[in-house]
Amino acid sequence: MSPAGSTVVFSALLLLTPGIPALVESCSCAPAHPQQLLCDSALVIRAKISSEKVVPASDDPLDTHKMIRYEIKQIKMFKGFEKLKDVQYVYTPFDSSLCGVKLEANNKKQYLLTGQILSDGKVLIHLCNYIEPWDDLSLSQKKSLNQRYQMGCGCKITTCYMVPCSITAPNECLWTDWLIERKLYGHQAKHYACIKRSDGTCSWYRGGPPPEKEFIDISEP
């Protein structure tokens, strides 16, 4: 899952454009912190999946590509109000090689869905978005959806794979889950947000409601 999802969005847009063949044959997503994925998404919602249907990717009868149209029940919208008020359907490529997402359409399981809004108003989701079962999110992540993550969208989160790694700019936070835990979505991803302070610098902030004033007691994980 990654902010590099622009490549996937582009390929999906090609799928939805009559007469233009898809150029991408496999799904590849660069790692990204959940906050970065939410910041890069046009839409962030909590929803249940009511049903699914395979539909043509475009109106072109010569286009054999398919999309999965998920009918959803929107529970809450965290981002995207200015473009959409209520989302009834989300679309994903049918082919997993084009980063199509498989969700449980049983009207029971809740998901956090992030995605892009196409020019025709359709919502596109893919594997490079941050899509997680709601119950798998930590309490800190759920609280961060309302405000904290978006407060850090001006910050840069850099993945640290090996030492040495260091901050190269004041608005940068180092993401060290892989280095410490050998997994991407570890303690830091689940419990920390990279927040911009009043002096323009960014630093990790852990859990709890954000303070009313400047972030003073911010500690590195």
Side-chain angles (χ1 to χ4, degrees):
M1 300 180 179
S2 147
S6 56
T7 301
V8 182
V9 172
F10 178 66
S11 67
L13 283 170
L14 289 177
L15 284 176
L16 296 174
T17 305
I20 301 179
L23 303 179
V24 179
E25 295 182 353
S26 62
C27 178
S28 179
C29 308
H33 189 277
Q35 174 180 318
Q36 192 69 58
L37 294 172
L38 269 69
C39 287
D40 290 344
S41 297
L43 183 82
V44 179
I45 59 175
R46 176 184 178 184
K48 292 181 180 179
I49 314 300
S50 301
S51 65
E52 63 179 281
K53 182 179 181 181
V54 177
V55 298
S58 73
D59 295 330
D60 184 356
L62 299 178
D63 186 357
T64 59
H65 291 100
K66 302 292 184 181
M67 301 286 283
I68 298 177
R69 185 186 72 186
Y70 288 112
E71 181 180 5
I72 71 168
K73 179 181 180 182
Q74 178 177 305
I75 298 172
K76 184 173 182 178
M77 181 178 289
F78 300 96
K79 186 178 179 181
F81 309 97
E82 68 282 357
K83 292 185 177 181
L84 296 174
K85 299 301 182 186
D86 183 60
V87 180
Q88 292 182 305
Y89 301 102
V90 296
Y91 295 78
T92 193
F94 177 77
D95 193 340
S96 60
S97 67
L98 294 174
C99 295
V101 181
K102 184 62 179 176
L103 304 176
E104 294 183 23
N106 55 18
N107 205 32
K108 295 180 180 179
K109 192 171 186 176
Q110 296 184 26
Y111 289 93
L112 174 69
L113 302 176
T114 74
Q116 307 303 322
I117 303 172
L118 304 181
S119 58
D120 60 1
K122 288 182 178 178
V123 175
L124 176 70
I125 63 173
H126 51 70
L127 287 175
C128 294
N129 295 126
Y130 192 62
I131 297 173
E132 293 286 341
W134 183 257
D135 289 343
D136 289 355
L137 299 176
S138 69
L139 179 59
S140 179
Q141 285 178 304
K142 292 175 181 178
K143 290 182 176 180
S144 294
L145 291 170
N146 287 315
Q147 183 182 20
R148 194 179 302 119
Y149 280 152
Q150 295 189 51
M151 291 172 66
C153 285
C155 299
K156 178 183 178 183
I157 300 177
T158 301
T159 309
C160 182
Y161 294 107
M162 62 182 67
V163 291
C165 56
S166 59
I167 293 174
T168 59
N171 69 331
E172 186 177 2
C173 291
L174 289 179
W175 183 24
T176 58
D177 277 343
W178 178 258
L179 183 66
I180 297 173
E181 302 181 46
R182 283 294 182 261
K183 63 180 180 179
L184 283 173
Y185 297 112
H187 189 77
Q188 196 176 24
K190 287 186 171 293
H191 300 287
Y192 285 81
C194 179
I195 301 297
K196 179 170 284 188
R197 296 184 286 187
S198 59
D199 62 359
T201 62
C202 292
S203 189
W204 292 110
Y205 176 75
R206 178 187 169 88
E212 296 180 359
K213 299 182 180 180
E214 180 185 356
F215 294 91
I216 300 174
D217 299 323
I218 302 179
S219 59
E220 292 290 339

